[in-house]
Structure formats: structure tokens, C-alpha cells
Amino acid sequence: MKFADDVFISYAHLDNQAVVEGQPGWISRFDRALKIRLGQLLGREPRIWRDPKLQGNDFFADTLVERLPEVAVLVAVLSPRYANSDWCRREMSTFQAATEAHGGSRIGNKSRLFKVIKTPLPLENHPPEVESLLGYEFFCVDPETGRAQELDQTFGQEMQARYWQKLDDLAYDLASLLQVLDDQATPTPLAGAGKGNVYLAETSSDLQPQREALRRDLVHQGYRVFPDRLPPSWLAADWEAFVEQQLAACKLSVHLIGSQYGIVPEGTQSSIVALQYELAATRSMSDLARLIWLPPELALSDERQQRFVEQLHTDARLHRRGDLLQTPFEDLKTAVYRMLSPPAEAPRSREPQAAEGVIRIYLICDERDLEQIAPLADHLFSEGFEVILPLFDPDETQARLDHEENLRLCDALLIYYGQGNELWQRRKLSELRKSAGLGRSTALRGKAIYVAPPLTPQKARLRTHEALVLQQPTDTFDPSALATFMGELHATDTAPAGDVKLGAL
């Protein structure tokens, strides 16, 4: 269906009063900015309509009743004044009723009602037509004072940048919906419907900017991001049922873990951050992949959050369809897209080879073990294997890429289990399992865990069917500890292979 107008902006006129005399009000600047950005995305001049003349004590104009059915989308700018305005409520209910004549207010997974929150407003005061919508918050909360400040182009460079980011989110979603409404006869999927669904877990306030940036990037890349609406209530039982339903629609969940514990729903002692992690962990036992991210320099003062982060580092469930990263934010985005779209498997006959007859061994170790591995590395080299020292680069992205390349190309793997703890050792095995996703096309000739000092009861009891376990009998390197591993390599040495890699993550 063709509409006479693209967007109607519903607002309370008190919210358009200028902060500085002689300058346009917030709504007027919002109207102008939205026209510019939406026009850039649509490639045409958008038809945005609002009535600047109506006053709160006027009768509801007949022209408004006649014109609203010809509007594609209504954008409601919520504020305390909006919630108390019978006029604004009537605009919304009239538009909602008008949409019923044209298939309802939802098109696919999108609503023709958009909620812009200019000033903080309790959810129970939101009009029922938009209560379940996520909305676009044009304010930020000072973490120290707890006070909210509206995003306004006149409040400095930082606020201006946040304002345009939020406006871009709104304009992008409006453009996606308007493009579908332009041709109802042959509708095309909305952005996100084709590539897949991602559950981007709610996080604490300190990481909200990073979450919004990742959400924006995913949507622009064509993914649909969940949660796609607000939960029916903040009672723990209702909230958990809602999250389980949202997770069921996704193939990947991403969890950003910050310094704050986060909101605790009524009826539980766990935060929404911790609850989402647990629900996703349960779901991952079937078909959900997970990615958990912590900032590199994470300072924790809340004891509850300290316990939660400790749990993350020791949770064995992460080794099944899960990954824990403590890297720069850009690395998180790289990891997300790698999990959503793994690299194509390399042709089996095209693996690069090194010198004829030389086997590549990737020796993984903790950085603190560099001196201790020297005798072992020297012995491997003297036995005819090519040995390259680990890469510990301040650029964590480069170090990780080098590690993944070594996993993909090595002929054998040896994990030096010295200063690293049990979680570190488990993570290395987990990364080995996922090496096929990096493009590895051949089986390893050998894989082993070399247990070295300092000895612990956990190390003494180490058993696994995934690799040989080699125990160093004394405090100093003993070549006899490698006998089984070397025998395995020589038994499979039936063709030239290439160089040996020594590296670490």
C-alpha cells in the first residue's frame, strides 16, 4: 500500500520549548535531523509530518483523524508530559485503530509504532500500544549521580555524537520498514531476516555503549538482534520464560560482562546478566553457540560480580559450543562474525608445506614458561623438528591471529602445562577442537599435554582421551618423557609435512 506520509511525529508540545531563547526546540531539531538521515538511507526526500500548531486544550482535529490512516509509521516521543496528555494518547490510539484496516500494526517482526524516549519514564506509564517495544532512549544516565541527561546537540561534542548514533539507529530501522511498506504486493525481508538471529544479552550500565555499538553493527550487517521487545514483567519467572523464548530463535548468544552486577529481577538473587548466562549455558547443550566477553582491564568492587566472574573462568560448560574472551572490543566483533560465518574449509590438497621431511609442531605454553621450555624446544629441534618461539605481542589481535594460523597449519600439537592453571589447559584443548572452524582440513599427526612443574594434585590426576598425557618425572627436563609422543610422530611420518610451530595464546 502507498501512504501519503511516511512518518507522523507524535509529541507533547511542552517538549518542544527551546532551552535557549531564540533557538528551535528539541522536537524541531529532532524532526530536521531525522529528515536528513532518513532521506540519506531511503535515497529520497522522506515525508515526515507533525502539527506544530496544536495545543493541549484544542479539540481533537477532524483533519488529524482523517490524515492518520494515510501515515505509514508513527513515532511517539515519550516524556512525562506525553504520558499525561490525553491528546497524545488519542493520537496513538487513533493510529493503532487505523492500522487494523491495513493488516494491523505489525509487518513481519517490526511494529509500525516507534517509541522514542526523550525523558526517562517508568515503563508502567508508557502507552499500552508501545509498552512492549524496546524503544530508542535519547538520554544517558550519569553512573556517579544516577541522574539522566537528555541527548541534545547543544550539550557538547560527546552528547552530540551519542545523539547522532541513536538517531542513526532509529533512521535505519525506519528505512527498513518503509522499504517493505513501499511494496506490500511483493514484500522483501527486513534487515536481519536473511543472515540469522543473534541474542545480544542485556548487560550492566558500564558496558551499555559497547552493547549498542555491537547491536548497531549486527543490524547493519543484516542480522536480526534479540531481545526484540521488552519482557512482559520483571518477575523472575516471567523474565526467564521470556529469555528462553528469545534464545530459542537464535544460533548465537553474546554476553558482555562488565564491572557492575546489574539489575536483579524480583523473585531471585541473581542479576539479569548472570541469569542470561545460565539460561544460555543450558541452551548450549543442544544447539546454541555462546561468546562471553570481558574487557581487558576489568576492575571489580562488587563481591557478587567477583564471584560471577570467577565462575566464568572455571565453568566447564564453556568448553561446549562456547568461548570466553578478555580482549579489546574490536576483537569481540571479529570473533562474533567468525562464529556466525566460519571461514570456508581450505582445499585438502592445498595446505602449504615447509622443507621436505620436516614436521611442524605447535608447542603452546604460558608466557611465564618461556625459560622453562627452552630445553624441550632444543631437544625437539635436535630431533629434526622445526621449532618457532611463541609470539607474545602487546597487540592482542595479532597474537590471536598468529595462534589461529598455527592451529590451522601445524602437523602436531604439544601443550606445555606448567604455569598455566587448569582452566588455561582446558581452554587450549577447547581451541584445538574448534580448529576445523579455522579452515583446518587434515588430522593432526600427534597431540599431547606435557605436564611440567609446578606439580599439583590436579595435574597428577589429569586424564583425557583427546591427547596423550606426558608427565615430566623430575623438576628438570627429561627427554624420556617425550618418548610416546615422538613414537607417535615417527609412526605417522610417511610423507613430507612442513615446519614445526612453537607458539602460545
Side-chain angles (χ1 to χ4, degrees), residues 60-89:
F60 198 69
D62 291 340
T63 54
L64 203 62
V65 176
E66 294 171 359
R67 194 166 176 181
L68 278 175
E70 299 298 318
V71 173
V73 175
L74 182 142
V75 174
V77 182
L78 301 193
S79 67
R81 176 57 185 157
Y82 191 100
N84 294 325
S85 169
D86 292 336
W87 186 286
C88 294
R89 294 293 189 104

Side-chain angles (χ1 to χ4, degrees), residues 5 52 65 132 204 206 261 279 291 351 369 440 457 463 499 503:
D5 296 292
V65 176
S132 65
S204 49
D206 56 312
Y261 192 58
L279 292 169
L291 194 56
E351 287 289 354
D369 289 317
R440 183 176 183 85
R463 299 290 186 274
D499 15 324

Side-chain angles (χ1 to χ4, degrees), residues 153-166:
Q153 299 178 64
T154 63
F155 289 165
Q157 188 173 359
E158 181 182 353
M159 283 299 189
Q160 186 178 42
R162 291 189 180 188
Y163 178 92
W164 279 102
Q165 284 179 343
K166 191 62 65 174

Side-chain angles (χ1 to χ4, degrees), residues 127-393:
E129 294 89 348
V130 296
E131 191 174 9
S132 65
L133 301 181
L134 288 177
Y136 305 81
E137 294 181 349
F138 276 76
F139 65 86
C140 60
V141 178
D142 188 318
E144 295 182 0
T145 65
R147 294 179 180 176
Q149 184 175 6
E150 293 175 1
L151 303 184
D152 195 303
Q153 299 178 64
T154 63
F155 289 165
Q157 188 173 359
E158 181 182 353
M159 283 299 189
Q160 186 178 42
R162 291 189 180 188
Y163 178 92
W164 279 102
Q165 284 179 343
K166 191 62 65 174
L167 188 102
D168 189 64
D169 290 343
L170 172 63
Y172 191 92
D173 291 343
L174 279 170
S176 297
L177 182 55
L178 289 171
Q179 286 166 356
V180 173
L181 289 171
D182 276 347
D183 192 0
Q184 279 278 311
T186 55
T188 55
L190 291 172
K195 284 193 172 182
N197 302 337
V198 180
Y199 186 89
L200 183 54
E202 300 290 349
T203 188
S204 49
S205 59
D206 56 312
L207 291 186
Q208 197 61 37
Q210 288 89 334
R211 182 185 183 276
E212 289 186 2
L214 181 56
R215 179 193 176 279
R216 184 178 303 112
D217 203 69
L218 284 165
V219 170
H220 288 195
Q221 291 297 323
Y223 292 93
R224 183 178 172 189
V225 178
F226 288 75
D228 61 353
R229 61 185 183 276
L230 292 175
S233 80
W234 286 99
L235 293 174
D238 292 343
W239 193 86
E240 289 181 20
F242 168 77
V243 172
E244 287 176 345
Q245 181 187 51
Q246 296 274 295
L247 284 169
C250 301
K251 63 180 181 180
L252 172 67
S253 68
V254 183
H255 305 256
L256 281 63
I257 311 300
S259 60
Q260 307 299 318
Y261 192 58
I263 298 172
V264 177
E266 185 178 344
T268 182
Q269 295 183 340
S270 298
S271 72
I272 60 171
V273 178
L275 284 171
Q276 287 171 113
Y277 173 82
E278 286 298 327
L279 292 169
T282 301
R283 185 87 194 174
S284 70
M285 300 306 289
S286 55
D287 59 354
L288 181 72
R290 292 180 298 147
L291 194 56
I292 294 87
W293 177 76
L294 297 88
E297 302 297 332
L298 185 61
L300 302 172
S301 56
D302 190 313
E303 291 184 4
R304 298 171 300 173
Q305 189 69 351
Q306 287 177 350
R307 291 193 297 269
F308 176 51
V309 170
E310 288 172 3
Q311 175 196 343
L312 294 178
H313 283 292
T314 58
D315 192 348
R317 293 174 298 179
L318 271 177
H319 304 295
R320 178 184 173 87
R321 296 180 61 80
D323 221 344
L324 176 65
L325 301 177
Q326 193 159 7
T327 63
F329 180 65
E330 289 302 316
D331 282 5
L332 167 64
K333 292 199 289 187
T334 299
V336 166
Y337 290 117
R338 184 182 291 120
M339 293 187 78
L340 288 169
S341 182
E345 181 177 326
R348 294 183 181 273
S349 61
R350 302 291 293 177
E351 287 289 354
Q353 295 185 354
E356 184 176 349
V358 180
I359 295 176
R360 297 170 291 195
I361 300 174
Y362 182 22
L363 177 57
I364 301 178
C365 70
D366 187 280
E367 186 172 8
R368 293 167 293 177
D369 289 317
L370 280 175
E371 290 187 13
Q372 283 69 33
I373 65 170
L376 186 154
D378 291 343
H379 177 72
L380 288 172
F381 187 81
S382 67
E383 289 292 317
F385 302 105
E386 185 67 28
V387 178
I388 301 174
L389 292 176
L391 175 63
F392 294 102
D393 197 301

